[in-house]
Amino acid sequence: MAFGHESNMDMVAEGVETQVQVDYLAAKGVYLHQGYFYAEPLPLDKLIHFYNNSPH
């Protein structure tokens, strides 16, 4: 993370599974995450339904 910040890189944390991980990453300045904490992998039809029924 330090290298990413020093290099002004956008970082995406993958595999985030818990609120503790979300909080840790946010405290370190990493705000882009993906993983089971947010949603499990979905087939396209279910992904479209999930997206259309989520606040954004």
Side-chain angles (χ1 to χ4, degrees):
M1 285 185 277
F3 175 77
H5 287 303
E6 291 169 6
S7 301
N8 291 325
M9 299 173 77
D10 289 330
M11 294 175 281
V12 178
E14 298 186 8
V16 177
E17 297 181 358
T18 67
Q19 183 67 54
V20 171
Q21 291 172 323
V22 170
D23 295 342
Y24 174 83
L25 291 163
K28 298 292 185 179
V30 180
Y31 303 107
L32 301 174
H33 333 123
Q34 71 85 33
Y36 276 88
F37 179 77
Y38 298 100
E40 64 185 37
L42 299 171
L44 181 58
D45 61 327
K46 291 185 180 183
L47 174 63
I48 292 169
H49 178 77
F50 176 83
Y51 179 80
N52 288 334
N53 293 291
S54 298
H56 47 284

